[in-house]
Amino acid sequence: MEIGLPFDVKHVVHVTFDRYKGFIGLPDDLLAHVDAVPPSASLSVFGVRPEALHYSIDAHGTGVPTILLLLQSRLYQLHGLSL
């Protein structure tokens, strides 16, 4: 595997998004830039209530909408994403 630039990146914080709680792990200095209540595009854009979205647990133990995991898997299959 070839690693492109930048190759000196350091992972200093892990931020995840919970559909009910919003961002988890976001540094305090960035909290002022996001809504306190997570926005939901599911109803306004897709016509589906957030409660109706099925979710799965990803490799990091985070609840993620199942559709996103399925799309990720399909992209890997089509070589649209690579490790």
Side-chain angles (χ1 to χ4, degrees):
M1 170 175 38
E2 184 176 325
I3 299 175
L5 293 174
F7 51 83
D8 58 348
V9 175
K10 294 179 183 170
H11 184 145
V12 295
V13 66
H14 180 79
V15 177
T16 188
F17 185 81
D18 180 272
R19 64 183 173 162
Y20 298 111
K21 298 177 186 173
F23 289 100
I24 299 170
L26 195 65
D28 291 339
D29 58 325
L30 297 177
L31 285 174
H33 300 284
V34 298
D35 294 330
V37 176
S40 175
S42 60
L43 187 58
S44 62
V45 176
F46 302 109
V48 178
R49 294 182 200 279
E51 302 82 33
L53 294 173
H54 297 280
Y55 75 95
S56 300
I57 305 300
D58 70 2
H60 303 287
T62 305
V64 178
T66 303
I67 188 67
L68 293 180
L69 295 176
L70 293 171
L71 288 170
Q72 179 188 44
S73 175
R74 186 72 174 138
L75 283 170
Y76 281 130
Q77 290 173 0
L78 297 173
H79 306 289
L81 292 175
S82 60
L83 296 173

